[in-house]
């Protein structure tokens, strides 16, 4: 584990880049999940159903239009989620390729794959843990900016809270950590199957 800490210490620029990427990923996911959650909560409120019923009296297609709007919103959320997962995996691949030689040396020195996987998990775990406060701060700043719009202000006023934003940031950090952990294992297994010589060349 000391190697991971030293790696971050002596490659501080890469460490800062890791924090920036992790912070951005968590923040974007948290905001998307918040608005998706907000639409579900608002749609289940009686006043919303009554308002839709009133509008439907003058516009028979109003309910269908609203369903289409929410459908597009959910598609956008799923697209952002998929994009974030792909982006974080691509960035992680760049990190792993930078560490590939030292990992190969550790394996030759007798370290088990299980221990190497724990080291890699510790590496990314530090990044996400330190990113949570920054992503929480940025999420709040984005929410404040979006609340200038009337629709967003209503949604935020009804559902939003500091506790919810913090929980979303923590949950999304854990989700991304799990995704990266799985990616680490698959990447390491594939590299070992290709041969240790290819790792330390």
């Amino acid at each position: 584990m000391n190697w991971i800490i030293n790696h971050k210490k002596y490659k501080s620029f890469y460490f800062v880049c890791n924090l920036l990427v992790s912070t951005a990923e968590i923040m974007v996911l948290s905001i998307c999940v918040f608005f998706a959650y907000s639409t579900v909560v608002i749609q289940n409120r009686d006043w919303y159903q009554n308002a839709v019923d009133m509008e439907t009296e003058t516009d028979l297609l109003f309910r269908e239009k609203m369903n289409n709007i929410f459908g597009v919103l959910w598609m956008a959320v799923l697209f952002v989620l998929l994009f974030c997962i792909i982006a974080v995996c691509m960035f992680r691949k760049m990190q792993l390729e930078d560490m590939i030689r030292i990992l190969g040396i550790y394996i030759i020195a007798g370290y088990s794959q299980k221990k190497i996987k724990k080291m890699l998990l510790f590496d990314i775990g530090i990044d996400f843990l330190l990113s949570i406060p920054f992503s929480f701060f940025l999420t709040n700043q984005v929410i404040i900016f979006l609340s200038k719009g009337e629709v967003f202000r209503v949604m935020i006023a009804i559902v939003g809270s500091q506790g919810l934003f913090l929980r979303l940031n923590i949950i999304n950090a854990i989700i991304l950590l799990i995704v990266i952990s799985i990616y680490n294992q698959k990447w390491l297994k594939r590299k070992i199957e290709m041969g240790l010589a290819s790792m330390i060349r």
Side-chain angles (χ1 to χ4, degrees), residues 7-118:
H7 181 76
K8 293 182 181 297
K9 185 188 298 183
Y10 294 115
K11 292 194 173 184
S12 56
F13 175 76
Y14 293 101
F15 179 43
V16 172
C17 289
N18 296 342
L19 289 180
L20 290 175
V21 171
S22 300
T23 298
E25 294 279 352
I26 296 170
M27 179 198 66
V28 171
L29 282 178
S30 297
I31 292 172
C32 286
V33 172
F34 168 72
F35 283 113
Y37 173 71
S38 298
T39 58
V40 173
V41 171
I42 291 174
Q43 279 182 300
N44 291 324
R45 295 290 177 91
D46 291 336
W47 62 264
Y48 173 81
Q49 296 297 334
N50 293 334
V52 171
D53 291 337
M54 289 177 61
E55 290 294 332
T56 304
E57 293 177 1
T58 56
D59 184 356
L60 296 177
L61 297 177
F62 182 79
R63 187 178 296 276
E64 183 179 345
K65 291 176 183 177
M66 291 302 297
N67 290 336
N68 289 337
I69 291 173
F70 286 124
V72 171
L73 176 62
W74 278 105
M75 288 179 63
V77 169
L78 291 175
F79 174 79
V80 171
L81 178 62
L82 182 61
F83 174 81
C84 286
I85 290 175
I86 293 174
V88 79
C89 287
M90 291 178 64
F91 186 75
R92 184 56 179 167
K93 181 180 180 181
M94 293 171 56
Q95 292 176 301
L96 292 172
E97 293 294 339
D98 183 57
M99 296 186 289
I100 187 170
R101 190 170 186 276
I102 189 68
L103 291 175
I105 292 173
Y106 273 117
I107 293 173
I108 291 175
Y111 283 76
S112 64
Q113 290 188 40
K114 185 177 180 180
K115 193 161 188 177
I116 298 294
K117 290 174 183 177
K118 285 183 179 180

Side-chain angles (χ1 to χ4, degrees), residues 140-154:
N140 279 289
Q141 296 305 307
V142 173
I143 291 295
I144 291 171
F145 175 78
L146 292 176
S147 64
K148 294 178 181 179
E150 185 176 351
V151 175
F152 289 132
R153 183 165 60 250
V154 172

Side-chain angles (χ1 to χ4, degrees), residues 151-173:
V151 175
F152 289 132
R153 183 165 60 250
V154 172
M155 296 175 71
I156 294 167
I158 293 173
V159 183
S161 69
Q162 292 295 307
L164 176 62
F165 298 145
L166 179 59
R167 286 195 298 273
L168 287 176
N169 277 269
I170 293 173
I171 290 170
N172 286 314

